[in-house]
Amino acid sequence: MIEASYTVTGMTCDHCARSVTEEVSKINTVSDVSVSLPTGAVTVRSSEPVNDADVRAAVEEAGYELAAK
């Protein structure tokens, strides 16, 4: 299992966190997504390395922005 962490900006409520979780979960190899609303931290667990561009696209589809690493 591979784990990667990201920071998402603009999330302010549980609905925001659910939207990000739902979109990132659609990435093929992703098996689990956890979001910390207070910190904006998003942890992605997958069977293979996940392309950062795919995560960025999923976060943007949810209406938020991935912070630069």
Side-chain angles (χ1 to χ4, degrees), residues 2-48:
I2 296 170
E3 188 172 286
S5 296
Y6 302 89
T7 301
V8 174
T9 59
M11 296 187 299
T12 59
C13 63
D14 287 336
H15 174 48
C16 300
R18 282 192 306 274
S19 294
V20 169
T21 299
E22 181 179 314
E23 289 301 326
V24 174
S25 293
K26 291 179 182 178
I27 298 170
N28 283 339
T29 60
V30 171
S31 58
D32 184 54
V33 178
S34 64
V35 175
S36 171
L37 192 55
T39 64
V42 176
T43 303
V44 179
R45 289 173 196 82
S46 58
S47 57
E48 297 176 19

